[in-house]
C-alpha cells in the first residue's frame, strides 16, 4: 500500500469523526429535506494567532520534527509539518483530551491485551512530556543531539525503534507514546482545519474528501464518477466563505471551474 492508498483508508476514518454530521446526512435520503433554516447574515470572525499553549519550545521542536518524518512532504503534497499537525496536537493536549477528561483513569493498571486499548495511568499530556524527555535523553546520549537536531535518517531510525518497542529506554512506555503520537498526527492531518491542523485542507485534497456534507440528491445517480469539489470546512460555513443552499448545506464548487 503506497502513501496515497494509506491516506485514503486512514482519512476516511479520521474525517468522518471530524464532521458535525447528523443534520447534514438527512438531506439526501429519499429526497426528504429538513425545513429551510432562518439564516442570519454571516459575519466574518477575527483570525486567531496560533501559538503553542502546552508544549515547551523543546517539546514543540521534537513534535514538529516527528510529524515531518511520520507524514513527510513529497510529490503528492505537503506533509505533517506543513499541515500543522504539531499545533493540532498541542491544542488537543491543552484541552480535555490532554487531561483524559473523558477517560476512565482509576485503574487497576497492569498487563493488558491490545484489544483493551489504552491502559496507562498517564494522561496524554503526561505521556507526551515523559516520552519526549526520555527519547531526547536517549538521542543526546546516542547521537550527541536531541531528536529534532538529528539527521532525517537518524530520526527515522529512532522512530522505527520506538514503533518496534526496541528503543532502549526502560523507564517509560515508549511504544505507547509512539502509537499516540502517530495517531494524533494522522488526526491532525485529516481533522477539520478548525482544530488547528489540516492547513489549507491538504489532507482532504490529498484523498478527495469534500469536507462539510452537502445535499447530494442531484448527483446520487452518478455512479462511478469521482466527486471532485473544493473541500469546505466548518469555518468556511461559519464565516460565510461557503455558499449555502436554502437548507443551510454548503454548495460544493467543482474543481473543474478553477482549472485554466
Amino acid at each position: 500500500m503506497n502513501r496515497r492508498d494509506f491516506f485514503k483508508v486512514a482519512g476516511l476514518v479520521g474525517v468522518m469523526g471530524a464532521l458535525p454530521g447528523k443534520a447534514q446526512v438527512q438531506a439526501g435520503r429519499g429526497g426528504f429535506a429538513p425545513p429551510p433554516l432562518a439564516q442570519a447574515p454571516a459575519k466574518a470572525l477575527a483570525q486567531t494567532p496560533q501559538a503553542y499553549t502546552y508544549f515547551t519550545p523543546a517539546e514543540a521542536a521534537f513534535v514538529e520534527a516527528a510529524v515531518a518524518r511520520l507524514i513527510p512532504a513529497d510529490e503528492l503534497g505537503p506533509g505533517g509539518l506543513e499541515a500543522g499537525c504539531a499545533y493540532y496536537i498541542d491544542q488537543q493536549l491543552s484541552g480535555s483530551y490532554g487531561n483524559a477528561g473523558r477517560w476512565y483513569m482509576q485503574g487497576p493498571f497492569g498487563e493488558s491485551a491490545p484489544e483493551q486499548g489504552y491502559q496507562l495511568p498517564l494522561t496524554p499530556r503526561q505521556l507526551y512530556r515523559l516520552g519526549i524527555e526520555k527519547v531526547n535523553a536517549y538521542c543526546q546520549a546516542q547521537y550527541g543531539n536531541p531528536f529534532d537536531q538529528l539527521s532525517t535518517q537518524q530520526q527515522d531510525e529512532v522512530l522505527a525503534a520506538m514503533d518496534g518497542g526496541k528503543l532502549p529506554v526502560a523507564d517509560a512506555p515508549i511504544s505507547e507514546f509512539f502509537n499516540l503520537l502517530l495517531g494524533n498526527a494522522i488526526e491532525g492531518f485529516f481533522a477539520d482545519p478548525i482544530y488547528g491542523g489540516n492547513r489549507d485542507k491538504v489532507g482532504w485534497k490529498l484523498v478527495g474528501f469534500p469536507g462539510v456534507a452537502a445535499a447530494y440528491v442531484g448527483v446520487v445517480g452518478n455512479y462511478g464518477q469521482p466527486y471532485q469539489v473544493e473541500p469546505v470546512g466548518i469555518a468556511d460555513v461559519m464565516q460565510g466563505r461557503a455558499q449555502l443552499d436554502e437548507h443551510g448545506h454548503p454548495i460544493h464548487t467543482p474543481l473543474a471551474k478553477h482549472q485554466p
Side-chain angles (χ1 to χ4, degrees), residues 11 25 36 46 49 67 74 107 119 135 138 142 150 154 157 177 190 195 202 224 229 241 246-247:
V25 178
V67 299
D74 59 16
Q119 294 289 324
V135 174
Y138 166 81
Q142 183 70 17
L150 304 183
Q154 291 171 333
E157 292 173 356
F177 170 51
F190 289 113
Y195 300 110
V202 294
V229 298
R241 294 194 295 267
E246 67 273 23
H247 302 295

Side-chain angles (χ1 to χ4, degrees), residues 192-235:
D192 192 286
I194 199 172
Y195 300 110
N198 193 12
R199 290 175 179 164
D200 195 30
K201 308 180 185 72
V202 294
W204 292 355
K205 291 176 181 176
L206 178 65
V207 299
F209 184 71
V212 176
Y216 301 108
V217 174
V219 297
V220 70
N222 297 341
Y223 305 115
Q225 297 182 22
Y227 188 69
Q228 298 177 327
V229 298
E230 289 285 350
V232 175
I234 295 173

Side-chain angles (χ1 to χ4, degrees), residues 36-252:
L37 299 175
Q39 298 181 28
K43 181 180 180 182
L45 302 177
Q47 297 293 321
T48 302
Q50 296 186 349
Y52 291 113
T53 54
Y54 177 72
F55 288 142
T56 66
E59 292 169 344
F62 178 101
V63 176
E64 288 181 355
V67 299
R69 299 311 303 157
L70 292 172
I71 309 176
D74 59 16
E75 70 279 4
L76 297 178
L81 177 62
E82 296 80 10
C85 293
Y87 179 71
Y88 164 86
I89 294 171
D90 175 83
Q91 295 303 287
Q92 302 314 304
L93 296 181
S94 295
S96 176
Y97 168 79
N99 199 35
R102 297 184 179 181
W103 295 7
Y104 178 80
M105 296 293 291
Q106 300 302 310
F109 302 102
E111 295 294 330
S112 61
E115 294 77 11
Q116 293 178 285
Y118 189 86
Q119 294 289 324
L120 295 176
L122 301 172
T123 65
R125 66 172 63 171
Q126 290 171 332
L127 182 55
Y128 265 88
R129 183 139 294 167
L130 177 64
I132 292 173
E133 176 189 349
K134 297 300 182 182
V135 174
N136 265 342
Y138 166 81
C139 294
Q140 191 69 49
Q142 183 70 17
Y143 302 104
N145 282 306
F147 177 82
D148 64 284
Q149 296 180 26
L150 304 183
S151 67
T152 55
Q153 179 179 352
Q154 291 171 333
Q155 289 174 345
D156 290 347
E157 292 173 356
V158 172
L159 290 170
M162 292 170 62
D163 182 24
K166 297 180 179 179
L167 199 73
V169 176
D171 51 353
I174 297 301
S175 291
E176 288 80 359
F177 170 51
F178 175 84
N179 290 334
L180 192 66
L181 173 62
L182 176 61
N184 291 158
I186 294 174
E187 293 168 6
F189 200 77
F190 289 113
D192 192 286
I194 199 172
Y195 300 110
N198 193 12
R199 290 175 179 164
D200 195 30
K201 308 180 185 72
V202 294
W204 292 355
K205 291 176 181 176
L206 178 65
V207 299
F209 184 71
V212 176
Y216 301 108
V217 174
V219 297
V220 70
N222 297 341
Y223 305 115
Q225 297 182 22
Y227 188 69
Q228 298 177 327
V229 298
E230 289 285 350
V232 175
I234 295 173
D236 295 326
V237 175
M238 300 302 294
Q239 297 182 349
R241 294 194 295 267
Q243 185 179 359
L244 307 180
D245 65 16
E246 67 273 23
H247 302 295
H249 304 115
I251 300 174
H252 287 152

